[in-house]
Amino acid sequence: IWAPKFPERFRHGEVKLGSKKADLMFLQHMLAVTRDGGMVATVLPHGVLFRGGEEAAIRRSLIQNDLLEARSNLQQSMDELDQEVKGRFGQTFQQISASFSRLFPVVFGGGNARLTLTDPDDLLESGVEIIAQPPGKKLQRVSLLSGGERSLTAITLLFAMLEVNPVPFCVLDEVEAALDDANVARFARFLRQYDSQTQFIVITHRRGTMEQADQLYGVVMQESGVSQILSVSLKDLKDEV
């Protein structure tokens, strides 16, 4: 057992390995080799001596094994997570699809609609497509509907999701801007049906929506450059009436 530039007395057995003298000479030699930039040897706890190149190979092998094991564990965790996501998405999609198909004729006053998957065999990569048929029209993709019909379809989908998974808080920013007055009133009544589970903050300029609100907040400018916030409690006024 030897390292480059190892003392001749070790090679020919003049100094026996394991003695105090040998240990001291060995350490001195290793320090000298390190200073000279030579190959450093390592003594493992069980007494086996490895040269620097052999030690590096063993370390690389151990690191490689650790990396392969970590990659295998990570891949297994990702597969389990994918299965969980697929299960939850599939179940939730079916519930929302059923709710959407039921609410659509109620919101539109007729017609029918459904949700479909663009790739049912790959739930992780699949998109969702809306097929709708408003009253008096043929069944078609939502992209071919008018602006008002698309808005009302999106609102219907929102109500379907709230029905399946209610949330405590929801902000709507002029979602009914493209609707006519009759559909605005219908939209406001639907908000009333869900306000027991969800608090809605609606940004709107439509009178029909404001009439169904409990509290109104507005910004006025009575003087040039001076804004003022006004609030009106319609709920108190309705109770008094």
Side-chain angles (χ1 to χ4, degrees):
I1 302 174
W2 61 281
K5 302 182 182 179
F6 206 75
E8 292 294 330
R9 286 173 291 178
F10 281 96
R11 299 185 187 181
H12 298 292
E14 297 177 11
V15 179
K16 295 183 179 180
L17 293 174
S19 65
K20 292 182 180 180
K21 183 177 180 181
D23 293 341
L24 180 59
M25 291 181 62
F26 179 78
L27 291 176
Q28 292 174 342
H29 173 69
M30 289 300 102
L31 290 174
V33 171
T34 303
R35 286 194 301 268
D36 294 339
M39 186 182 295
V40 179
T42 301
V43 180
L44 298 182
H46 51 273
V48 178
L49 179 68
F50 288 99
R51 289 177 292 178
E54 295 173 349
E55 179 193 7
I58 292 175
R59 287 183 177 178
R60 285 195 299 269
S61 177
L62 293 175
I63 293 174
Q64 183 180 24
N65 292 337
D66 289 342
L67 291 176
L68 291 175
E69 183 180 358
R71 184 179 68 175
S72 177
N73 293 337
L74 181 59
Q75 186 64 49
Q76 182 179 355
S77 299
M78 292 174 61
D79 293 340
E80 294 175 356
L81 182 60
D82 286 347
Q83 293 301 320
E84 180 71 15
V85 171
K86 287 180 182 179
R88 292 190 180 186
F89 175 78
Q91 181 182 4
T92 304
F93 175 80
Q94 294 299 328
Q95 294 174 345
I96 294 178
S97 179
S99 178
F100 176 72
S101 297
R102 181 181 60 80
L103 289 177
F104 186 89
V106 178
V107 175
F108 275 82
N112 62 84
R114 68 176 186 271
L115 301 178
T116 61
L117 296 173
T118 58
D119 188 1
D121 297 329
D122 188 0
L123 295 182
L124 296 179
E125 299 293 336
S126 176
V128 177
E129 194 169 55
I130 301 176
I131 306 296
Q133 184 180 13
K137 294 192 174 182
K138 64 180 181 179
L139 194 67
Q140 55 191 338
R141 291 183 174 87
V142 70
S143 59
L144 301 178
L145 300 178
S146 66
E149 290 170 338
R150 288 199 301 268
S151 297
L152 200 56
T153 301
I155 291 171
T156 305
L157 181 58
L158 170 65
F159 287 136
M161 290 188 289
L162 291 176
E163 197 171 76
V164 173
N165 187 20
V167 295
F169 193 78
C170 183
V171 178
L172 303 176
D173 187 0
E174 297 191 26
V175 296
E176 84 288 38
L179 303 181
D180 57 25
D181 291 340
N183 285 325
V184 168
R186 186 178 290 115
F187 160 74
R189 289 195 296 269
F190 261 88
L191 287 181
R192 275 293 180 189
Q193 296 181 16
Y194 294 92
D195 65 358
S196 60
Q197 295 178 317
T198 302
Q199 181 180 5
F200 292 97
I201 293 181
V202 183
I203 302 172
T204 182
H205 292 93
R206 304 302 297 270
R207 179 176 178 177
T209 305
M210 297 181 191
E211 290 175 348
Q212 294 296 326
D214 291 331
Q215 191 82 21
L216 288 178
Y217 295 91
V219 180
V220 297
M221 186 179 293
Q222 295 180 344
E223 300 179 15
S224 178
V226 180
S227 298
Q228 183 179 1
I229 298 178
L230 299 179
S231 65
V232 178
S233 177
L234 296 184
K235 184 176 181 181
D236 294 341
L237 295 176
K238 293 175 183 177
D239 293 340
E240 291 177 2
V241 175

